[in-house]
Amino acid sequence: MAQPLRSVEDEVPISYGRFDLLDACGLGVEAGAEEAAAGALLAEPGRVALGQVGVSSHAWAWSAHVRMEAWDAEPPPPDEPWTEAGQILYLSPGGIVELCGLMLAPSGQRLLLGPPFFAYGLRAYAGPVRTEPAEAGPAETGPAETGPVDGDEAVTEAVEEAWLLRFWPLADAAGPALRTESEAAGLAAGRMREALPIDPGSAAPRPEEWPALRPSPRPAPAPAPVIRRSHPAENAPDSDAERRFTVPQETRDSWRRLDETLGDLRIDMLGNLPAGVASWSQEQLERYATQLRVSRRIGAELNPHRAPTLTLEETSVRTVLLGPDPGFSGRAWVWGADENAYGDVLSIDREVVASDRIRRGTLLTGIVTILRNENGFVEVRAASAAEAAQVLGIERLPG
């Protein structure tokens, strides 16, 4: 029986009667003029989308409230009030998706579908529409509805429409995309289409082989209370000390605002805060806080068994086609104290590359999967056998 893995909810503005779903890794092909409608889903002919799909509004509302769900197999239909509105095959280069309006940046909310370079089923369901009285006649962007209000007929317009997007894994399409690195990333990812058509009788990927297809872990125990040190200027007394060390009030306010916005997100943040963060606007800070929260959540979802992790500079891990993004596997190089260092993380295809007797260090390598990427640093765990097989397949290709 199909089981839900995880879900997120997001609000997205509707422009020109549509909004878009994108792969967070940045690879995707817009259907463009040749797009074909699969119900409300706008994709390529054949009901296939590569990293990007449009969703056509059914009520021409101002915004959409969207619930996205990842399942381990084809899910059953939901109960009322949902109505099926289309189905396509979604080829995901990155395995993580987000929503955005036309010419607008995403909110930062993201859903982990599963492993990168996989084919997923995507089925859309339309839900209720919330309306409000129109301020000045029918809305210009779409049809208006009329209905009785206090015994009189009044014009109303759609304000918000509900959507449910459900994904489930169909097949591993990494082989065609990763068999060579000689092409541009977009072209190579586009070769995922070579995995089509998918035989209806073929076996879907087994969740036990892919950590990203396992249920989300239970929330970790709350961390022990942390005593924060205030900014030096906040408690500076009105005395000679203040005259020797004076910080402008504007700087004090900026750092206080930073602490209030990020809060405990700074406890396990990778790396240091970005340069110039104290001068960011409140909107920029809140967007950055959302990124950190989503990064932490997806990192936990990619590590459902809470395997040991290691934090490295992002340049210490080499992945194929794309940079060291969450969900991707690659080879890491790490200097350790001896040959036994980091054995619980660098355990897959582990090798001792070199020894430095002068510095008493050993260069080790192993295949890892990236959980988070923040501020130039990555958190990694040991790759599973299936994840490592993709990396080894690339490494064994003839040069």
Side-chain angles (χ1 to χ4, degrees), residues 54-73:
V55 182
S56 179
S57 167
H58 65 93
W60 285 75
W62 299 345
S63 65
H65 181 90
V66 187
R67 177 180 175 87
M68 298 188 291
E69 298 178 349
W71 290 65
D72 63 356

Side-chain angles (χ1 to χ4, degrees), residues 18-22 41-43 49 51-55 88 90 122:
R18 67 178 283 178
F19 60 92
D20 289 331
L21 179 135
L22 308 172
L41 300 178
L42 306 177
Q52 182 171 348
V53 59
V55 182
I88 63 169
Y90 184 76
L122 166 57

Side-chain angles (χ1 to χ4, degrees), residues 42-362:
L42 306 177
E44 298 179 3
R47 299 188 176 187
V48 176
L50 174 60
Q52 182 171 348
V53 59
V55 182
S56 179
S57 167
H58 65 93
W60 285 75
W62 299 345
S63 65
H65 181 90
V66 187
R67 177 180 175 87
M68 298 188 291
E69 298 178 349
W71 290 65
D72 63 356
E74 183 174 358
D79 297 330
E80 294 183 354
W82 299 107
T83 302
E84 184 172 342
Q87 178 176 331
I88 63 169
L89 191 150
Y90 184 76
L91 299 171
S92 178
I96 299 174
V97 294
E98 60 188 359
L99 301 169
C100 74
L102 189 64
M103 306 298 292
L104 296 172
S107 69
Q109 285 296 336
R110 293 177 171 181
L111 174 69
L112 171 65
L113 304 181
F117 299 111
F118 261 48
Y120 295 89
L122 166 57
R123 189 175 293 137
Y125 297 90
V129 178
R130 181 169 63 86
T131 62
E132 291 181 357
E135 294 182 0
E140 297 180 1
T141 55
E145 298 178 359
T146 60
V149 177
D150 295 333
D152 299 325
E153 288 190 353
V155 176
T156 63
E157 57 187 348
V159 175
E160 181 182 80
E161 55 188 77
W163 285 91
L164 173 62
L165 304 180
R166 283 182 165 178
F167 300 82
W168 68 95
L170 292 175
D172 182 352
L178 301 180
R179 70 185 180 204
T180 178
E181 295 184 78
S182 61
E183 299 184 47
L187 295 177
R191 290 165 61 172
M192 293 173 64
R193 293 188 184 89
E194 296 180 16
L196 306 177
I198 296 174
D199 184 356
S202 61
R206 299 170 58 187
E208 59 269 23
E209 296 179 348
W210 300 93
L213 293 180
R214 298 172 191 167
S216 299
R218 293 180 179 178
V226 176
I227 299 177
R228 290 190 168 277
R229 294 183 179 275
S230 301
H231 189 272
E234 292 181 7
N235 295 323
D238 297 327
S239 61
D240 293 339
E242 186 179 46
R243 289 191 292 271
R244 291 194 302 269
F245 180 71
T246 302
V247 177
Q249 182 64 38
E250 182 179 356
T251 302
R252 296 187 186 187
D253 294 341
S254 296
W255 282 103
R256 184 180 295 108
R257 185 166 52 90
L258 181 65
D259 280 338
E260 291 174 351
T261 304
L262 298 185
D264 291 343
L265 290 171
R266 298 175 64 176
I267 294 176
D268 65 346
M269 181 177 64
L270 307 182
N272 297 319
L273 288 170
V277 66
S279 63
W280 287 4
S281 67
Q282 185 62 30
E283 181 181 357
Q284 289 175 306
L285 285 178
E286 291 175 354
R287 182 173 293 274
Y288 182 60
T290 298
Q291 292 175 356
L292 292 178
R293 291 189 191 95
V294 172
S295 174
R296 179 184 296 182
R297 171 176 56 79
I298 291 180
E301 293 167 350
L302 287 167
N303 193 18
H305 291 166
R306 296 196 177 95
T309 64
L310 184 63
T311 298
L312 306 170
E313 294 185 13
E314 63 177 7
T315 54
S316 298
V317 182
R318 181 180 181 274
T319 57
V320 295
L321 294 180
L322 300 172
D325 290 343
F328 286 89
S329 300
R331 183 169 292 278
W333 285 268
V334 185
W335 282 97
D338 53 48
E339 295 184 0
N340 299 317
Y342 312 121
D344 49 0
V345 178
L346 301 179
S347 57
I348 306 300
D349 203 49
R350 178 186 178 91
E351 296 180 17
V352 175
V353 180
S355 297
D356 188 335
R357 296 184 178 180
I358 297 177
R359 297 181 179 178
R360 296 182 180 180
T362 302

